[in-house]
């Protein structure tokens, strides 16, 4: 989403609009696809800034590093020096809060009660993973572009032919402020049709898989279980009901 501007060749259309059109032609949730690509591109600049801007370092310390999903992306990333510096910072701060040698004069129970509290205070994140925060903001922008643009014929037909938005992103979309009510209703109606189609494909898949249909060749429904898994789970991190 940070590529060269398309707006010069098509006035009124944002880069994200064109990124969305492209993502809608690919399998699975277009929002997940764009956000995953965006955060991987974002990490380079983010790492540079995190090493030089005091506030960024403080945010990462307060979040106690990154969530496990973003941590695993970083682990395979080339910026290993930055990873070392950021995590040294986090571990330094944790060690400052972790209790040291136990107090021999107190009872073990009293010491442990204090230790448990101190360990919790030292390790528990005080804010969410900063890359999750970034994703949350990007998700909002992509979903607003999709839903507010649903009356654009090109975008609408691309969405109708797509495999749909994952359920976690539909839930986020439904909670967005500043979305046109009619557009949200139209978006949800189209998403519902996509879900109904997928449900039918799952029914056919299950039917063919059972017994007498085992010899029958699978059609589009062959990939329905994999699509359904991604559609239901999505890739929305750090959020729970
Ligand atoms: Zn999604
Ligand atoms: Zn995260």
């Amino acid at each position: 989403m940070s590529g060269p501007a398309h707006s010069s060749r098509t006035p009124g259309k944002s880069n994200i609009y064109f990124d969305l059109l492209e993502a809608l032609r690919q399998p699975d949730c277009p929002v997940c696809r764009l956000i995953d690509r965006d955060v991987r591109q974002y990490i380079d600049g983010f790492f540079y800034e995190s090493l030089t801007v005091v506030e960024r370092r403080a945010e990462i310390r307060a979040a106690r590093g990154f969530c496990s999903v973003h941590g695993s992306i970083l682990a395979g990333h080339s910026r290993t020096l930055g990873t070392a510096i950021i995590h040294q910072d986090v571990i330094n701060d944790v060690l400052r809060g972790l209790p040291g040698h136990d107090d021999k004069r107190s009872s073990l129970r009293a010491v442990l009660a204090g230790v448990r509290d101190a360990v919790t205070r030292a390790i528990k994140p005080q804010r969410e993973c900063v890359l999750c925060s970034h994703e949350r903001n990007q998700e909002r922008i992509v979903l607003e572009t999709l839903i507010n643009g649903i009356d654009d014929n090109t975008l609408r037909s691309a969405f109708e032919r797509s495999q749909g938005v994952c359920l976690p992103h539909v839930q986020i979309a439904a909670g967005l402020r500043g979305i046109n009510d009619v557009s949200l209703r139209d978006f949800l109606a189209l998403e519902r049709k996509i879900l109904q189609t997928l449900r039918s494909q799952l029914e056919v898949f299950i039917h063919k898989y059972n017994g007498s249909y085992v010899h029958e060749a699978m059609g589009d429904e062959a990939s329905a279980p994999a699509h359904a898994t991604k559609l239901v789970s999505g890739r929305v991190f750090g959020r729970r009901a």
Side-chain angles (χ1 to χ4, degrees), residues 66-71 128-133 135 237-238:
F66 304 92
C67 71
S68 57
V69 176
H70 285 125
E128 79 170 342
C129 162
V130 294
L131 292 174
C132 283
S133 302
E135 288 204 8
F237 310 138

Side-chain angles (χ1 to χ4, degrees), residues 61-62 64 88-98 122:
R61 270 200 309 279
R64 289 302 185 240
Q88 181 192 43
D89 205 21
V90 172
I91 291 170
N92 270 341
D93 210 43
V94 168
L95 282 172
R96 270 195 287 275
L98 276 184

Side-chain angles (χ1 to χ4, degrees), residues 1 3-21 34 141-142 144-146 149 152 155:
M1 278 172 283
H6 296 278
S7 52
S8 57
R9 68 171 197 234
T10 313
K13 305 290 189 198
S14 68
N15 288 354
I16 295 173
Y17 171 89
F18 291 100
D19 287 341
L20 249 178
L21 277 184
L34 289 183
I141 295 168
V142 174
E144 282 176 357
T145 305
L146 174 61
D152 173 280
L155 193 65

Side-chain angles (χ1 to χ4, degrees), residues 29 31-32 165-166 169 234-235:
C29 172
V31 186
C32 288
V165 168
C166 71
H169 278 138
R235 66 172 293 290

